[in-house]
Amino acid sequence: MSENSAAPGTPPATAPGPQPEPIRFFGTTWVDHDGGYGLRRAGVAVGSLAAAVAACFVLRFAYEGLEIAEVGGFVGVLVIAMFSICSAIAFRKTWEGFGARPEDPSREDALRGLKSIGFIGSLLAYFVRSLTEAPGEKLRRTEYERARAQFEKRRSTRTGNPAARKASGRKRPKRG
Protein backbone atom coordinates (compact mmCIF):
# COMPACT_ATOMS: atom_id res chain seq x y z
CA MET A 1 0.00 0.00 0.00
CA SER A 2 1.24 3.48 -0.76
CA GLU A 3 1.36 6.34 1.72
CA ASN A 4 -1.29 8.26 -0.23
CA SER A 5 -3.92 5.53 0.05
CA ALA A 6 -5.03 6.58 3.55
CA ALA A 7 -8.49 8.08 3.90
CA PRO A 8 -8.65 11.86 4.29
CA GLY A 9 -8.51 12.95 7.89
CA THR A 10 -6.59 9.92 9.14
CA PRO A 11 -3.27 10.69 10.80
CA PRO A 12 -0.12 9.12 9.43
CA ALA A 13 0.74 5.85 11.15
CA THR A 14 4.28 7.00 11.92
CA ALA A 15 3.39 10.22 13.78
CA PRO A 16 4.90 10.21 17.27
CA GLY A 17 2.72 10.67 20.30
CA PRO A 18 -0.98 10.19 20.93
CA GLN A 19 -3.30 9.88 17.96
CA PRO A 20 -6.74 11.56 17.78
CA GLU A 21 -9.73 9.30 18.31
CA PRO A 22 -11.94 9.10 15.21
CA ILE A 23 -15.57 10.19 15.39
CA ARG A 24 -18.29 8.31 13.53
CA PHE A 25 -18.90 9.88 10.06
CA PHE A 26 -15.97 12.28 10.58
CA GLY A 27 -12.90 10.15 11.13
CA THR A 28 -10.19 12.50 12.34
CA THR A 29 -11.20 15.44 10.12
CA TRP A 30 -12.40 17.18 13.30
CA VAL A 31 -8.80 17.84 14.37
CA ASP A 32 -8.02 20.41 11.65
CA HIS A 33 -11.54 20.79 10.19
CA ASP A 34 -10.28 19.53 6.83
CA GLY A 35 -11.28 16.77 4.46
CA GLY A 36 -14.83 18.02 3.89
CA TYR A 37 -15.55 18.56 7.57
CA GLY A 38 -18.20 21.23 6.90
CA LEU A 39 -19.98 19.10 4.32
CA ARG A 40 -19.88 16.11 6.63
CA ARG A 41 -21.41 18.15 9.45
CA ALA A 42 -24.16 19.38 7.16
CA GLY A 43 -24.75 15.84 5.93
CA VAL A 44 -24.95 14.47 9.45
CA ALA A 45 -27.38 17.21 10.46
CA VAL A 46 -29.65 16.64 7.48
CA GLY A 47 -29.37 12.86 7.72
CA SER A 48 -30.18 12.67 11.43
CA LEU A 49 -33.13 15.04 11.05
CA ALA A 50 -34.45 13.09 8.05
CA ALA A 51 -34.08 9.82 9.97
CA ALA A 52 -35.95 11.31 12.95
CA VAL A 53 -38.79 12.50 10.70
CA ALA A 54 -38.98 9.10 8.99
CA ALA A 55 -39.04 7.40 12.39
CA CYS A 56 -41.93 9.64 13.47
CA PHE A 57 -43.88 8.55 10.39
CA VAL A 58 -43.20 4.89 11.18
CA LEU A 59 -44.40 5.40 14.74
CA ARG A 60 -47.50 7.17 13.44
CA PHE A 61 -48.30 4.19 11.20
CA ALA A 62 -47.79 1.87 14.17
CA TYR A 63 -50.18 3.96 16.25
CA GLU A 64 -52.75 3.88 13.46
CA GLY A 65 -52.37 0.11 13.45
CA LEU A 66 -53.25 0.09 17.13
CA GLU A 67 -56.33 2.21 16.36
CA ILE A 68 -57.38 -0.18 13.60
CA ALA A 69 -56.94 -3.11 15.99
CA GLU A 70 -59.16 -1.27 18.48
CA VAL A 71 -56.98 -2.11 21.47
CA GLY A 72 -58.41 0.78 23.46
CA GLY A 73 -57.42 4.25 24.45
CA PHE A 74 -55.38 3.15 27.46
CA VAL A 75 -52.92 1.16 25.33
CA GLY A 76 -52.58 4.09 22.92
CA VAL A 77 -51.78 6.45 25.78
CA LEU A 78 -49.23 3.97 27.16
CA VAL A 79 -47.50 3.68 23.79
CA ILE A 80 -47.30 7.45 23.36
CA ALA A 81 -46.07 7.91 26.93
CA MET A 82 -43.48 5.14 26.53
CA PHE A 83 -41.99 6.57 23.35
CA SER A 84 -42.08 10.12 24.71
CA ILE A 85 -40.37 9.26 27.98
CA CYS A 86 -37.82 6.98 26.33
CA SER A 87 -37.05 9.62 23.70
CA ALA A 88 -36.52 12.27 26.38
CA ILE A 89 -34.18 9.98 28.33
CA ALA A 90 -32.33 8.94 25.17
CA PHE A 91 -31.89 12.61 24.18
CA ARG A 92 -30.49 13.46 27.61
CA LYS A 93 -28.13 10.48 27.77
CA THR A 94 -26.91 11.02 24.22
CA TRP A 95 -26.34 14.72 24.90
CA GLU A 96 -24.42 13.94 28.10
CA GLY A 97 -22.32 11.44 26.14
CA PHE A 98 -21.11 14.24 23.88
CA GLY A 99 -19.63 16.12 26.85
CA ALA A 100 -18.19 13.44 29.13
CA ARG A 101 -17.33 9.77 29.15
CA PRO A 102 -19.80 7.65 31.13
CA GLU A 103 -18.74 7.12 34.73
CA ASP A 104 -20.36 3.68 34.86
CA PRO A 105 -20.21 1.80 31.52
CA SER A 106 -22.34 -1.04 32.91
CA ARG A 107 -25.17 1.42 33.56
CA GLU A 108 -24.90 2.67 29.98
CA ASP A 109 -25.18 -0.93 28.81
CA ALA A 110 -28.31 -1.34 30.92
CA LEU A 111 -29.83 1.75 29.28
CA ARG A 112 -29.12 0.51 25.76
CA GLY A 113 -32.61 -0.98 25.37
CA LEU A 114 -34.28 2.18 26.63
CA LYS A 115 -32.18 4.29 24.27
CA SER A 116 -33.10 2.07 21.34
CA ILE A 117 -36.80 2.54 22.11
CA GLY A 118 -36.26 6.30 22.32
CA PHE A 119 -34.07 6.41 19.22
CA ILE A 120 -35.84 9.54 18.01
CA GLY A 121 -34.42 11.44 20.98
CA SER A 122 -30.91 10.21 20.13
CA LEU A 123 -31.33 11.28 16.51
CA LEU A 124 -32.53 14.72 17.58
CA ALA A 125 -29.58 15.11 19.97
CA TYR A 126 -27.25 14.18 17.12
CA PHE A 127 -28.97 16.76 14.89
CA VAL A 128 -28.80 19.60 17.43
CA ARG A 129 -25.13 18.93 18.29
CA SER A 130 -24.08 18.69 14.65
CA LEU A 131 -25.32 22.26 14.11
CA THR A 132 -22.38 23.55 16.19
CA GLU A 133 -19.71 20.82 15.99
CA ALA A 134 -19.16 17.18 15.21
CA PRO A 135 -21.00 15.23 17.93
CA GLY A 136 -18.40 14.48 20.60
CA GLU A 137 -15.75 16.79 19.12
CA LYS A 138 -15.34 18.98 22.19
CA LEU A 139 -14.78 15.99 24.48
CA ARG A 140 -12.31 14.32 22.13
CA ARG A 141 -10.47 17.58 21.43
CA THR A 142 -10.02 18.19 25.16
CA GLU A 143 -8.73 14.65 25.69
CA TYR A 144 -6.46 14.82 22.65
CA GLU A 145 -4.94 18.19 23.61
CA ARG A 146 -4.37 16.97 27.18
CA ALA A 147 -2.67 13.81 25.89
CA ARG A 148 -0.50 15.83 23.48
CA ALA A 149 0.55 18.22 26.26
CA GLN A 150 1.44 15.32 28.55
CA PHE A 151 3.38 13.66 25.73
CA GLU A 152 5.33 16.82 24.96
CA LYS A 153 6.05 17.38 28.65
CA ARG A 154 7.31 13.82 29.10
CA ARG A 155 9.36 14.00 25.93
CA SER A 156 11.01 17.33 26.72
CA THR A 157 11.83 16.55 30.35
CA ARG A 158 13.15 13.06 29.77
CA THR A 159 16.87 13.00 30.46
CA GLY A 160 17.69 10.01 28.28
CA ASN A 161 15.92 11.18 25.14
CA PRO A 162 18.53 12.15 22.56
CA ALA A 163 15.93 13.75 20.32
CA ALA A 164 15.07 16.30 23.01
CA ARG A 165 18.67 17.25 23.76
CA LYS A 166 19.99 20.45 22.31
CA ALA A 167 23.06 20.18 20.14
CA SER A 168 25.67 22.10 22.10
CA GLY A 169 28.55 21.30 19.82
CA ARG A 170 30.66 19.52 22.41
CA LYS A 171 30.85 15.85 23.15
CA ARG A 172 30.65 14.24 26.55
CA PRO A 173 33.85 12.76 27.86
CA LYS A 174 34.11 9.01 27.73
CA ARG A 175 34.03 7.12 30.97
CA GLY A 176 37.09 5.09 31.46
Side-chain angles (χ1 to χ4, degrees):
M1 246 168 78
S2 71
E3 292 179 17
N4 295 334
S5 64
T10 56
T14 60
Q19 300 298 316
E21 183 179 350
I23 297 176
R24 181 182 299 145
F25 305 121
F26 294 92
T28 56
T29 60
W30 60 268
V31 176
D32 296 323
H33 292 187
D34 60 352
Y37 172 82
L39 290 175
R40 289 175 191 226
R41 249 187 52 207
V44 165
V46 169
S48 60
L49 185 61
V53 168
C56 287
F57 278 119
V58 169
L59 289 178
R60 179 175 175 230
F61 294 140
Y63 183 76
E64 287 177 0
L66 291 174
E67 286 181 347
I68 291 171
E70 297 178 4
V71 294
F74 182 68
V75 172
V77 169
L78 283 179
V79 168
I80 290 172
M82 176 193 65
F83 277 106
S84 300
I85 292 169
C86 289
S87 290
I89 292 171
F91 181 93
R92 181 173 161 254
K93 288 300 194 181
T94 303
W95 192 264
E96 288 174 356
F98 294 146
R101 301 274 181 190
E103 293 177 17
D104 186 11
S106 62
R107 182 164 184 223
E108 291 297 314
D109 289 341
L111 290 174
R112 185 174 290 148
L114 187 130
K115 286 171 70 173
S116 64
I117 292 171
F119 64 99
I120 294 174
S122 292
L123 289 170
L124 291 176
Y126 219 77
F127 166 72
V128 172
R129 181 61 92 163
S130 64
L131 293 176
T132 58
E133 67 177 9
E137 177 181 348
K138 185 176 183 180
L139 170 67
R140 287 185 175 83
R141 185 173 302 283
T142 303
E143 291 174 347
Y144 177 61
E145 288 174 355
R146 186 179 319 123
R148 292 291 300 176
Q150 288 174 350
F151 173 76
E152 290 300 324
K153 183 179 178 184
R154 280 192 316 250
R155 185 167 183 227
S156 66
T157 60
R158 190 181 306 157
T159 58
N161 185 358
R165 288 188 195 145
K166 293 182 180 178
S168 61
R170 59 185 179 113
K171 295 183 180 180
R172 288 188 163 178
K174 291 185 181 180
R175 291 187 178 183

